[in-house]
Amino acid sequence: MKAKEQVVEETKQLIIFKLGEEEFGVDILQVREIEKLDQNITRVPKAPAFVEGVINLRGEIVPIVDLRKRFGLSLKPIGSDTRVVIVEINDNLVGMMVDAVVEVLRINVSAIEDAPQITKGVDAYFLSGVAKVGDRLIVLLNLDRALSAEEAKELRETDLGE
Amino acid sequence: MDTSQYLSVFMDECREHLQTLNQSLLELEHDPENSSILDQIFRAAHTLKGASATMGFNKMANLTHTMEDVLSKLRAKELTMTPEIVNTLFEAVDLLEILANKIGEGKEEDIEITGVVQALQLFNVGNVAAQPQQERRKNIQLRYLEAEKEEILAAINDNVQLYHFSVKMAENCVLKGVRVFMVLREIERLGTIVKSMPSLKDLEDEKFDLEFIVAVLMSNPPEELAKSISNITDIAQVSFEKIDPQNLPMEKRMQNQSVEERTKVTGQTVRVDIRKLDVLMNLVAELVINRSRLEAISSNLRSKDLEEVLEQVGRLTLDLRDSVLKTRMVPIETVFSRFPRLVRDLSKELGKEIDLVIEGGETELDRTVIDEIGDPLVHIIRNSVDHGIESPEERENAGKPRTGTVRLNAYQEGNNVVIAIEDDGRGFNVEKVKEKALRMGIVTKEALAEMREDQILELTLMPGFSTASKVTDVSGRGVGMDVVKTKVDSLGGMIRIHSEFGKGSLLEIRLPLTLAIIQTLMVQLGKEIYAIPSGYIEQIISLRQDEIKQVRSQQVCMLRGELIPIIRLQEVLDTPDAINHELEELDVVVLRIGDRLIGCVVDALLRQQDVVIKSLGGYLGSVKGIAGATILGDGRVALIIDIRAVA
């Protein structure tokens, strides 16, 4: 915290993870835990293409979304840094497979700006904004959209309709 | 007070009390004199009143309050039970059920209760002054408890004797309390009051009609006391009798005991959210998995001590698993208990005489199954009553007893629970079923010719069989029976029908004990493992590649002289690198789906295994072809195949 006379600025804690060289952030309040991928993912036939499969998270079956697939990025094999960020959306647990988890970062809400149409190759539809932290640019995910099993297009249409 | 968070608790309680009310009212109808049943009804109504008033559901509180008034009069024997009262009470309970449902939807205000409330109030006022009072007076009796008897015996000697003074006030007596006080004072002057009927407190509060009895221990001559009592104003009549202390009228203890027992039973249950049990189940499953990991480590270490402990842990975890599963089990009675009412109402409506016999209500089923099976059973019983059992006249003409019997029975058979619904009604007319099935285009003539009788009867379960307006064409059965079948199928169960025309019919529903655990066959397909529910497996065969023939686009093989379709499971499940095309000998799992057989080719059969079914979760929703998932001993997830998607 800085000087006391200053108005306390609203901050957010983010989990920062990487897809390739790009850094992404999700609100820590939405993250349940971060897991190493030390087990096989069971493929689920007929599931949406970006759903890699399901894993056993201490007795609970949790679907895993490959964010690279979801965002249409080039695919990368699972490595030792690969992590699953387990988030909770609409009371359901979903795991996001990411290249690596970097850190927990506190940012000022005022540092968040709207995302440009295409940010680092990811459609702005999936994003809730970008945050500049020093010379880093953190891309913030809109989890509801990024993980929605519905087709993104359909959602966008209903959004426009509202 | 914001009570919304208590709503679900209230609703649960409400349902329980309504069930008690319904059940006890039925019992009371058969046994109107039984005061312990009446007490139970009263308690239920009373609790409901309190709960609904607290929650601010005024209509429900109002209705239960009026019920309580009538019930308390019945208890105090100020009212005698009549069929009209029972019927009105039933009506009130029905209304309460509707109210409860509306409250669940947040619309209590929509319901009109004044009609029933007024009907109840009529009993309250109308009946009191009427004729049953006369009988009631005779009913006053003084009875003793065991402890009181001992006291009396100790007090009695040659001088002191026990007398019952029965005092009757004048009809127009104004200040009963005062008169009673004077009577009691007079008695106490000459003797000791042991007990009175009604109790002394009730007497002082004027809570009695005109007559009361006082038990007195005294050495003075009773005539003297009787005389001085009768001198008090407004005392119409005084009589006394000497009581033999060895022959004291005793309180019936049986009744008291049974009431105590009942309260005890209800006090021993705990209401638990089923989700909490699911969590517990998950934890136990995890424990089982970790135990097998431990075992693997221990076998490397070759430590005798460790092995011994692990064996213990293994047994404990299995016991733990079974116990958790058992906590999910609910006696099927909870479903059965609503049928006496159903049958009563239906038979009254239809002018039939029907006995409903319920057996095996204690048989336990998984909560999830219990929740689902109620409606199908209602359907079946309704059919039995409506179409199965004939009218009393018809039955007499057929040489049967006037009263028909519907028998509901549940029992466990291996890993299944069988629910049998049997009636001694007119049964199915197989010829008519055939005729109709042909007319509705459900079967071909050729197929029909080869069917056994029970297979023909099962045609009545097919969708479309019962859509015709005149159901009675086919000895009546089949109203929406396809709905019943669909439900039972979805629970992994089966329905069988037996019937003898003119003598009755028997419907058997076979359900898995639990939906949480099923027996499966684990099969390998490429690098993946799938679980096939054993309930669907007809048999397992081994085929050479050249025994599979191609008929147009379909692969088929011969099984017991019949041609059955063959599917490669990997094509249904999009499994990469399945190897069964390259194998010489093929493992084929033959599934029975309805009355069709289908052969599923897999890469390899692994083992039979009881698995805990887990949902894929809300995120994926329902995935076509997959019924759920389960966790294998090594922690991996295996998917359970939904057989219906294969068909």
Side-chain angles (χ1 to χ4, degrees), chain B residues 233-247:
Chain B
T233 325
D234 282 345
I235 300 298
Q237 195 186 335
V238 182
S239 60
F240 62 88
E241 65 181 315
K242 189 178 160 193
I243 304 293
D244 176 4
Q246 299 301 335
N247 249 333

Side-chain angles (χ1 to χ4, degrees), chain B residues 294-582:
Chain B
L294 264 181
E295 266 171 1
I297 297 169
S298 119
S299 67
N300 289 338
L301 292 176
R302 289 164 199 264
S303 150
K304 194 116 194 127
D305 288 349
L306 186 57
E307 267 169 32
E308 265 170 33
V309 176
L310 269 178
E311 217 177 276
Q312 284 282 359
V313 172
R315 219 169 312 147
L316 285 172
T317 39
L318 280 186
D319 284 354
L320 188 59
R321 197 190 78 168
D322 287 349
S323 306
V324 173
L325 270 183
K326 270 189 202 131
T327 55
R328 295 171 53 100
M329 305 292 264
V330 181
I332 198 163
E333 204 160 20
T334 51
V335 178
F336 281 3
S337 60
R338 58 168 138 153
F339 296 138
R341 178 73 201 279
L342 177 77
V343 171
R344 170 195 182 269
D345 287 359
L346 273 179
S347 49
K348 282 212 165 154
E349 193 180 305
L350 298 165
K352 294 180 181 177
E353 290 169 26
I354 297 171
D355 262 349
L356 176 68
V357 181
I358 293 183
E359 282 158 1
E362 71 286 351
T363 312
E364 290 189 323
L365 267 169
D366 192 275
R367 176 65 200 262
T368 37
V369 186
I370 292 273
D371 287 346
E372 298 288 316
I373 200 63
D375 289 341
L377 284 180
V378 167
H379 223 106
I380 294 168
I381 290 180
R382 200 179 267 278
N383 269 339
S384 271
V385 172
D386 195 358
H387 307 301
I389 303 281
E390 313 90 331
S391 67
E393 296 73 34
E394 210 175 312
R395 291 181 64 87
E396 271 183 346
N397 290 339
K400 293 179 178 179
R402 275 178 72 84
T403 307
T405 307
V406 176
R407 194 175 290 275
L408 193 56
N409 192 7
Y411 53 93
Q412 194 176 337
E413 206 180 81
N415 267 332
N416 291 309
V417 163
V418 180
I419 303 173
I421 304 100
E422 193 181 1
D423 67 61
D424 62 350
R426 47 173 84 92
F428 285 87
N429 184 337
V430 178
E431 289 312 310
K432 287 211 170 157
V433 173
K434 277 189 191 171
E435 203 179 285
K436 175 147 184 194
L438 278 178
R439 200 171 64 231
M440 305 302 295
I442 292 167
V443 278
T444 59
K445 216 169 189 154
E446 295 74 38
L448 201 57
E450 297 200 349
M451 284 170 113
R452 291 189 314 268
E453 194 172 300
D454 56 322
Q455 287 175 318
I456 294 170
L457 289 179
E458 271 158 40
L459 290 176
T460 57
L461 303 173
M462 301 298 281
F465 186 87
S466 53
T467 48
S469 55
K470 277 241 168 184
V471 249
T472 30
D473 275 354
V474 206
S475 80
R477 300 308 176 88
V479 191
M481 283 302 283
D482 59 317
V483 181
V484 173
K485 184 172 160 51
T486 315
K487 184 58 111 204
V488 172
D489 280 352
S490 74
L491 292 173
M494 279 186 291
I495 306 185
R496 290 251 174 279
I497 306 177
H498 312 275
S499 176
E500 205 169 326
F501 184 50
K503 289 206 174 146
S505 49
L506 168 68
L507 223 129
E508 270 184 352
I509 301 179
R510 201 168 287 268
L511 292 167
L513 260 185
T514 169
L515 290 186
I517 287 196
I518 56 165
Q519 202 182 39
T520 62
L521 176 71
M522 294 284 172
V523 299
Q524 178 101 37
L525 212 58
K527 293 191 188 84
E528 298 174 349
I529 294 175
Y530 287 95
I532 301 178
S534 298
Y536 290 96
I537 299 177
E538 174 86 0
Q539 71 180 113
I540 288 163
I541 54 175
S542 186
L543 287 180
R544 286 193 315 280
Q545 200 74 255
D546 60 10
E547 284 177 289
I548 295 181
K549 303 274 186 292
Q550 191 83 23
V551 176
R552 269 169 299 210
S553 63
Q554 180 68 57
Q555 292 193 319
V556 294
C557 77
M558 290 295 279
L559 180 69
R560 290 178 302 214
E562 258 182 81
L563 222 45
I564 66 164
I566 290 284
I567 56 164
R568 307 264 175 177
L569 213 45
Q570 69 266 28
E571 286 165 15
V572 181
L573 301 168
D574 306 325
T575 312
D577 33 77
I579 50 162
N580 55 52
H581 280 285
E582 300 148 26

